[in-house]
Amino acid sequence: MQPPSSATHTGFTVCPGCDLLLEQIRAAADHTAVCPRCGSRLYRARRDSVSKALALSLTGLLLYLPANFMTLLNFDVLGTPSSASIFSSSLSMFAQGQVIVGAVVVLTGLVFPLLTLLLLFAVSLGLYREWQRPWMPVLLRRYHHLTEWAMQDVYLIGVFVTIIKMSHTAAIEPGVGLYCFVGLVLVTIAAQSVIDYPLFWSRMNQGWEPPLPPPGAETAMEAGLMVCHTCRMVVAAGDGRKPRTCPRCGGRIHFRRHDSISRTWALVITAIIFTFPANLLPIMEVEYLGVPDRNTIMDGIIYFFHEGSYGIGAIILIASILVPLFKIVGMLLILLSIHFRRQGWLRHKSLMFRFIQFIGRWSMLDIFVIALLCALVRFGYLSTVNAAPAAFYFTGVVLSTMFSAINFDPRLLWDAAAMPVSRETSYATASSS
Ligand SMILES: [Zn+2]
Ligand SMILES: [Zn+2]
């Protein structure tokens, strides 16, 4: 596709997904540039990115305290009231003796969402005031890596699942915290989507000029160039081609991620081993009138389908069973295809890898639902909900599959096969990509 007429050439860039050298074109606002070989998104141009990111991160920070500490839901069972906030729900796993699961819930549900807002606020304020401070690229790198782990959006879906799950047995009233939490999640998603990363990074260049690739080279590796995984800065590899530190953001730069294949294999095998206890052992224990009833993940899904809540049943089936399964099978296919140097379907395998990266965090849904239920259903002898052993193994599956995608270097797929190259950058409008 032809680039839009308002696009301007600004040197060259390297595709993070397949290492292809490309002309860098600054596209018109709301256009997305896509790698013609692997389909990875190179960048998306945004209007008024800095001021919007500043305003949205500030709004998020103002909403953070009421959203997390004020009452989320009020429950009433036979005249016995109970209530919970995001904060008390996040701590509920510790009371059950589930220290590791509790730590993951507190980090992904409370700590990382706050950190991402603080980091984005500091960086966008610095850019807005046109500062050139050495901490700005470091904070933007931290923000870039933390967004995947800040899971308040998954938590919010967990809140809705909990409401529907409990609506049959208790009178539920939403608290002020719920409205603030919905606002916080929407503002955070909006803040992430307005960031124009190439623009942010280019404002922190500090006089750096990229080295020019030699004519005829197709990939950065062939040209003796290395690209930063985070800020996409291109540097000359120099002698020994050893990993270096990025002069702009301070991240590690390598030709290919060190030990990527063996680490990914180890993490995928760990996920497979954890999958069995995660699905066979009970994940939640519901005590009603002193009689304990232990449920596996599958029991929970069957319960929703029996109750006629097909939508919620389908959401949990997808998040807790299908997503982890897809991630494991997908990563295995990619690893085997590299091992046997398969050359077909490379673009599809790249797309599948990007999808695995995208869906990774959504499997945490069931863990957030259990945390909410543990905090809310505290009616003494009448009824209580406790986390059961599978919660630990299930969290293990989510973490190991997420880390396997983080450790995998998608450029290795393309190294295994020499493909014909088209050098024209593809264009798509933001709405269609
Ligand atoms: Zn590419
Ligand atoms: Zn960098």
Side-chain angles (χ1 to χ4, degrees):
M1 207 193 293
Q2 284 300 309
S5 54
S6 50
T8 49
H9 291 254
T10 57
F12 76 99
T13 188
V14 177
C15 171
C18 71
D19 210 32
L20 185 67
L21 274 171
L22 291 154
E23 264 186 277
Q24 176 150 310
I25 296 165
R26 180 80 198 151
D30 300 326
H31 279 69
T32 302
V34 179
C35 172
R37 184 160 77 159
C38 72
S40 292
R41 192 169 73 191
L42 298 171
Y43 60 84
R44 189 175 49 185
R46 284 281 180 242
R47 262 180 252 270
D48 307 323
S49 179
V50 173
S51 48
K52 281 182 188 166
L54 180 62
L56 287 165
S57 55
L58 180 62
T59 314
L61 285 171
L62 293 174
L63 283 170
Y64 183 84
L65 284 180
N68 288 294
F69 291 90
M70 290 183 82
T71 304
L72 186 76
L73 297 171
N74 292 299
F75 262 23
D76 199 314
V77 176
L78 302 173
T80 318
S82 161
S83 65
S85 62
I86 290 287
F87 179 72
S88 65
S89 307
S90 302
L91 294 184
S92 65
M93 286 287 187
F94 289 110
Q96 316 268 316
Q98 295 269 5
V99 179
I100 293 174
V101 183
V104 174
V105 170
V106 167
L107 287 174
T108 57
L110 280 174
V111 179
F112 294 156
L114 176 63
L115 277 179
T116 52
L117 287 169
L118 285 170
L119 292 171
L120 183 61
F121 176 71
V123 172
S124 48
L125 180 68
L127 290 175
Y128 189 76
R129 305 296 301 266
E130 299 187 358
W131 294 339
Q132 286 284 342
R133 303 281 157 80
W135 50 262
M136 284 164 55
V138 178
L139 296 195
L140 185 55
R141 171 164 64 91
R142 297 268 178 244
Y143 173 80
H144 187 96
H145 291 303
L146 265 185
T147 46
E148 187 179 2
W149 295 96
M151 303 190 188
Q152 64 280 63
D153 43 356
V154 185
Y155 216 141
L156 180 63
I157 303 294
V159 173
F160 291 135
V161 171
T162 308
I163 292 173
I164 295 170
K165 194 171 180 132
M166 297 308 292
S167 60
H168 300 295
T169 50
I172 306 169
E173 275 221 356
V176 179
L178 181 61
Y179 299 108
C180 296
F181 192 56
V182 171
L184 174 68
V185 171
L186 293 178
V187 164
T188 310
I189 292 170
Q192 283 171 12
S193 69
V194 298
I195 301 173
D196 188 331
Y197 278 107
L199 179 90
F200 272 48
W201 287 118
S202 67
R203 296 247 193 120
M204 302 178 193
N205 254 0
Q206 293 156 344
W208 160 78
E209 285 292 327
L212 277 177
E218 288 193 334
T219 62
M221 183 133 95
E222 271 176 46
L225 301 173
M226 298 199 286
V227 63
C228 174
H229 302 300
T230 309
C231 74
R232 313 254 180 101
M233 187 180 204
V234 182
V235 295
D239 297 335
R241 301 190 161 199
K242 290 200 175 98
R244 291 181 50 181
T245 303
C246 174
R248 179 160 62 187
C249 73
R252 293 289 277 171
I253 310 185
H254 344 66
F255 269 117
R256 299 293 178 263
R257 253 181 235 278
H258 188 58
D259 289 340
S260 170
I261 298 287
S262 46
R263 283 183 203 211
T264 311
W265 267 115
L267 287 159
V268 171
I269 291 167
T270 310
I272 294 171
I273 294 169
F274 277 171
T275 298
F276 291 98
N279 286 283
L280 297 175
L281 293 175
I283 196 160
M284 193 171 74
E285 186 188 81
V286 183
E287 237 181 275
Y288 186 68
L289 297 174
V291 183
D293 181 18
R294 307 186 105 202
N295 296 309
T296 62
I297 295 175
M298 208 55 196
D299 292 337
I301 296 165
I302 293 169
Y303 167 84
F304 279 120
F305 280 104
H306 267 296
E307 291 284 313
S309 304
Y310 299 108
I312 293 294
I315 288 174
I316 300 194
L317 178 69
I318 291 169
S320 305
I321 308 267
L322 298 184
V323 166
L325 199 68
F326 182 84
K327 287 194 285 185
I328 290 172
V329 173
M331 289 310 294
L332 274 178
L333 280 176
I334 288 170
L335 286 167
L336 289 171
S337 127
I338 290 177
H339 184 78
F340 293 107
R341 298 198 150 263
R342 288 274 178 256
Q343 300 190 347
W345 302 90
L346 281 175
R347 204 179 158 96
H348 297 86
K349 282 181 269 189
S350 292
L351 177 69
M352 181 168 74
F353 174 67
R354 293 197 297 277
F355 186 62
I356 288 170
Q357 281 181 308
F358 170 73
I359 57 172
R361 49 211 290 286
W362 286 93
S363 329
M364 275 297 283
L365 180 65
D366 223 22
I367 297 295
F368 288 133
V369 172
I370 293 168
L372 284 157
L373 288 174
C374 289
L376 279 166
V377 188
R378 296 263 135 235
F379 299 107
Y381 180 72
L382 188 64
S383 180
T384 51
V385 169
N386 300 308
F392 167 75
Y393 296 106
F394 187 75
T395 309
V397 174
V398 180
L399 293 187
S400 44
T401 48
M402 281 182 77
F403 277 119
S404 76
I406 288 169
N407 275 280
F408 178 69
D409 191 333
R411 296 172 295 188
L412 293 166
L413 263 174
W414 296 84
D415 290 349
M419 292 291 290
V421 169
S422 151
R423 298 189 148 274
E424 200 174 275
T425 310
S426 301
Y427 276 86
T429 56
S431 53
S432 64
S433 62

